[in-house]
Amino acid sequence: MDGTSLPARFARLRGIPLHCPRDQTPLLEGDETLRCPRCGAGFPVLGGIPVLIHDGASVFAISDYLGGASYEGAAYGRQADRAGGLRRAYRQLARRLGDAPSSIRHPDATAALAYVRTLHAAPRVLVIGSGGLRLGEAGDIVVQTDVAFAPDVDAIADAHDLPFPSGSFDLVVAVAVLEHVADPQRCVAEMTRVLAPKGHVFAVTPFLQPVHMGAYDFTRFTPIGHRRLFRGFDEVAAGVAMGAGSMVAWSLRGLFQSVSSARWWQVVASGLGLLLTPPFRMLDRWLAHAADASGGCWFFGRKRDGDPVTDRELVATYRHTFRLGPTALPPPEI
Ligand SMILES: [Zn+2]
């Protein structure tokens, strides 16, 4: 130790201590490495970002990151595009079409933060799978983690073994994350552990959306399956995230791509599918009531004091449709 406390060195962690992801022991600071005094594991700090991966348990290895804190360094889905010229222009257009927002409007992570702000003067927030998006404003206690380097990532961490003490946060956000983890139950257990009593969780997870990010796409959840994942929480609000229109756009793309595996056809099919994506997504506005055919679902809940919701109670909450409402969350009953 050089006398500098860990949170002081990692200013963006805003006082949240770092623990060993293997055994939850507070980490000690070395020159370029954080070290666990209990198990002896070392965790590199690259470009100021600690890599806090449980090397023996994660699908990611610490050596994956040693190329440095560049966005190309991580073997994951969000690498920078190194292509040039026409190909780059096409990929940028494709990305824009593919990212065309669903016309379903629903509360997002910012709405969840606004809700939690009404309960805490300075809520402590953990974002899992933040990518390059920062939640909140400067001065907020928002710790952003991902398994890949990105501009606003504060620490590299795997949701199966979160490197934070129990009860450290008032809100945990996981948008488009739980389909990408090998064991979602374990990740939700970790999210629950790091939440303070009555802490809140906000999650958006795909249901009928096809595979994306290749090998790093493990699971889908029906709306009731998604609710079950969060059975240690009381529901504050929940709904569908993408409607049947988005699903049709993805299915058409899959249909075109199924015709031939020839490379040129895959490019044409992908382009055709992408061109059809925005108009079908527009349809979501009217089609979204069919929760059973939605592209995904969102859940906002409060950590329960007692036992988890039983499966019998759970099936009684089944809804064929979700009300499509405002993008704000209902104010808490204090
Ligand atoms: Zn350890």
Side-chain angles (χ1 to χ4, degrees), residues 19-27 35-43:
H19 277 192
C20 174
R22 301 159 68 106
D23 53 30
Q24 286 303 318
T25 303
L27 292 175
R35 195 158 292 284
C36 173
R38 186 195 243 167
C39 68
F43 303 94

Side-chain angles (χ1 to χ4, degrees), residues 35-120:
R35 195 158 292 284
C36 173
R38 186 195 243 167
C39 68
F43 303 94
V45 179
L46 300 165
I49 301 172
V51 178
L52 302 165
I53 296 283
H54 183 341
D55 206 59
S58 176
V59 297
F60 303 102
I62 286 180
S63 58
D64 292 343
Y65 300 92
L66 296 179
S70 68
Y71 308 132
E72 295 89 4
Y76 196 57
R78 298 193 185 96
Q79 304 99 324
D81 192 345
R82 288 186 228 180
L86 269 179
R87 178 170 289 186
R88 186 184 180 86
Y90 170 76
R91 286 196 192 160
Q92 280 175 348
L93 175 66
R95 208 171 296 130
R96 196 166 304 158
L97 290 171
D99 289 347
S102 166
S103 57
I104 291 189
R105 290 161 58 79
H106 62 82
D108 59 9
T110 303
L113 177 55
Y115 181 102
V116 174
R117 267 192 225 283
T118 63
L119 302 169
H120 303 273

Side-chain angles (χ1 to χ4, degrees), residues 115-116 126 128 162 167 169-174 178 184-203 224-238 298-311 313-314 317 319:
Y115 181 102
V116 174
L126 173 64
I128 299 174
L162 290 171
F169 296 99
D170 303 301
L171 171 66
V172 172
V173 170
L178 290 170
Q185 300 279 351
R186 180 176 171 83
C187 294
V188 173
E190 275 292 88
M191 290 156 71
T192 309
R193 178 183 68 78
V194 300
L195 275 174
K198 297 192 188 298
H200 286 75
V201 70
F202 178 78
I224 201 94
H226 199 236
R227 177 68 188 90
R228 185 173 193 276
L229 199 51
F230 295 100
R231 59 194 182 279
F233 291 79
D234 287 316
E235 178 183 311
V236 176
W298 62 272
F299 176 83
F300 181 58
R302 181 177 51 247
K303 188 171 165 178
R304 284 167 72 96
D305 289 329
D307 293 333
V309 180
T310 67
D311 286 341
E313 290 168 325
L314 200 88
T317 67
R319 280 162 286 185

